[in-house]
């Protein structure tokens, strides 16, 4: 009977973990347009406008799905595959990152380097699609995006690596679980530096102010929009949904790393439900704060963006150094 009970308990643990993983992916897919709508509504209210409503991005996706897709002449597989790759990579990251629970079936594979590689795959696929169109705007946007990603990806690696030194692992669930059990790590200088650096690169990776303005189509300022000008119909809907999912999952990662309280670390259904609720609250709060800040921010001139990202890289490097010495590794 003891063996049967052990097998039953193990099955229950795996079942709860799998359900938590599925739940966080579903919440990211379903909640990403709502988060974008909430942020637009906050900006509209602060700017004295009524706004289109929180559900408007979902209505836009539904409208685009009904339209006929138009593919530019002489485009290849890169252009056609990029929208789906953007959504798929965002979904994979949503499954890997511990947003609701650290005890999911893929927790052992949720390594920092793998997550950053999958994130970069979506960005590179969209840049290749911009080049594939052969237009001036597509090439310009792809070139600018590659300049941004060259500074963003190392900063993400170093920021999270600073948190991985006390945890002794680059596994994201292990880092989050360690921070939840030892919150003093986040209050250290290394934690503060890593939080600022990661927040800056999240803005750059998701094309938000002051790095990029998602509401503009001015030729001299476009980065993300320049790469997707040739998309229409369902392809454009997938591009918009993928971008919204990336914003949601990166804000969720930021919340999980620096405000991990409430994330389930075991096989409790109640803890997983609480983690799901707190995930929605934390991401919504971060989205509201970001939207409110964007009202007062101006877009940086393009040649100033590398300076901002280089500064965030320096902060991440300082965070790694501080974490190395604060954990006693530097004295060995």
């Amino acid at each position: 009977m003891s063996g049967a009970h052990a097998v039953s308990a193990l099955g229950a643990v795996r079942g709860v973990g799998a359900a938590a993983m599925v739940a966080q992916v579903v919440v990211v897919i379903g909640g990403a347009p709502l988060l974008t709508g909430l942020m637009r509504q906050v900006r509209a209210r602060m700017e004295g406008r009524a706004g289109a409503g929180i559900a408007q991005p979902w209505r836009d996706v539904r409208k685009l799905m009904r339209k006929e897709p138009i593919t530019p002449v002489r485009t290849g597989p890169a252009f056609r595959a990029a929208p789906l790759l953007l959504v798929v990579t965002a979904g994979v990251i949503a499954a890997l990152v511990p947003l609701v629970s650290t005890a999911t079936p893929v927790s052992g594979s949720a390594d920092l380097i793998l997550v950053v590689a999958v994130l970069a795959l979506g960005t590179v696929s969209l840049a290749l699609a911009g080049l594939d169109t052969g237009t001036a705007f597509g090439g310009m946007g792809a070139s600018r995006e590659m300049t941004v990603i060259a500074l963003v990806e190392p900063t993400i690696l170093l920021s999270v690596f600073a948190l991985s030194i006390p945890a002794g692992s680059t596994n994201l669930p292990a880092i989050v679980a360690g921070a939840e059990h030892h919150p003093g790590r986040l209050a250290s200088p290394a934690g503060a530096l890593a939080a600022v650096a990661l927040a800056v690169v999240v803005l750059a990776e998701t094309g938000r102010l002051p790095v990029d303005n998602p509401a503009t189509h001015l030729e001299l300022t476009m980065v993300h929009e320049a790469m997707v000008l040739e998309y229409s119909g369902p392809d454009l809907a997938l591009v918009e949904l993928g971008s919204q999912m990336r914003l949601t999952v990166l804000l969720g990662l930021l919340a999980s790393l620096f405000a991990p309280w409430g994330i389930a670390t075991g096989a409790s259904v109640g803890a997983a439900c609480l983690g799901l609720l707190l995930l929605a609250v934390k991401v919504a709060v971060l989205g509201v704060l970001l939207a409110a800040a964007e009202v007062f921010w101006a877009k940086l001139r393009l040649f100033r963006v590398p300076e901002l990202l280089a500064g965030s890289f320096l902060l991440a490097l300082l965070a790694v150094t501080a974490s190395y010495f604060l954990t006693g590794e530097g004295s060995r």
Side-chain angles (χ1 to χ4, degrees):
M1 291 296 294
S2 59
H5 283 301
V7 172
S8 177
L10 180 60
V13 170
R14 291 178 176 175
V16 173
M21 181 187 69
V22 172
Q24 65 186 35
V25 174
V26 170
V27 166
V28 168
I29 296 174
L34 297 180
L35 175 65
T36 301
L38 174 63
M39 295 174 65
R40 292 176 182 173
Q41 193 70 17
V42 169
R43 288 196 61 176
R45 292 295 185 180
M46 295 187 67
E47 293 170 354
R49 298 181 286 111
I54 296 177
Q56 183 59 42
W58 264 123
R59 291 193 287 267
D60 293 339
V61 170
R62 183 181 61 185
K63 178 182 67 176
L64 289 172
M65 283 293 185
R66 295 175 178 175
K67 293 189 174 183
E68 178 185 359
I70 299 176
T71 303
V73 180
R74 293 186 297 275
T75 53
F79 182 84
R80 293 188 291 272
L84 185 58
L85 270 176
L86 192 66
V87 173
V88 170
T89 53
V92 170
I93 296 172
L96 291 174
V97 173
L99 301 175
V100 174
S101 173
T102 60
T104 63
V106 296
S107 294
S109 303
D111 189 79
L112 166 64
I113 298 175
L114 175 62
V115 170
V116 173
V118 175
L119 184 67
L121 176 60
T123 304
V124 171
S125 66
L126 201 59
L128 289 176
L131 291 173
D132 196 23
T133 60
T135 62
F137 284 158
M140 177 187 67
S143 175
R144 293 175 176 179
E145 186 70 13
M146 289 299 97
T147 301
V148 170
I149 195 177
L151 292 170
V152 164
E153 305 301 338
T155 305
I156 296 177
L157 285 171
L158 286 179
S159 299
V160 184
F161 186 70
L163 303 178
S164 71
I165 293 176
S169 173
T170 57
N171 180 266
L172 288 176
I175 296 172
V176 171
E180 187 173 11
H181 295 146
H182 302 90
R185 296 176 182 175
L186 302 177
S188 65
L193 290 170
V196 175
L198 190 59
V200 171
V201 297
V202 165
L203 297 179
E205 181 66 36
T206 55
R208 310 297 304 190
L209 288 171
V211 177
D212 191 14
N213 188 353
T216 186
H217 283 82
L218 297 176
E219 294 88 346
L220 297 179
T221 62
M222 289 188 296
V223 180
H224 173 79
E225 293 297 325
M227 296 185 294
V228 303
L229 281 177
E230 301 299 323
Y231 282 110
S232 63
D235 291 335
L236 181 58
L238 288 177
V239 169
E240 294 296 330
L241 179 60
S243 300
Q244 293 161 0
M245 289 172 61
R246 286 164 70 91
L247 173 62
T248 304
V249 77
L250 285 175
L251 289 180
L253 175 62
L254 193 64
S256 296
L257 289 174
F258 298 101
W261 304 284
I263 296 179
T265 56
S268 171
V269 176
C273 293
L274 177 62
L276 191 63
L277 176 63
L278 290 179
L279 169 66
V281 172
K282 288 186 284 190
V283 172
V285 169
L286 288 177
V288 168
L289 292 176
L290 176 57
E294 286 183 339
V295 175
F296 303 98
W297 286 345
K299 185 184 180 303
L300 288 175
R301 299 175 71 177
L302 188 62
F303 66 85
R304 294 288 185 185
V305 171
E307 297 178 5
L308 173 66
L309 298 180
S312 66
F313 178 80
L314 180 59
L315 289 178
L317 189 61
L318 290 174
V320 172
T321 304
S323 180
Y324 183 73
F325 283 99
L326 287 174
T327 54
E329 297 290 338
S331 61
R332 294 182 181 180

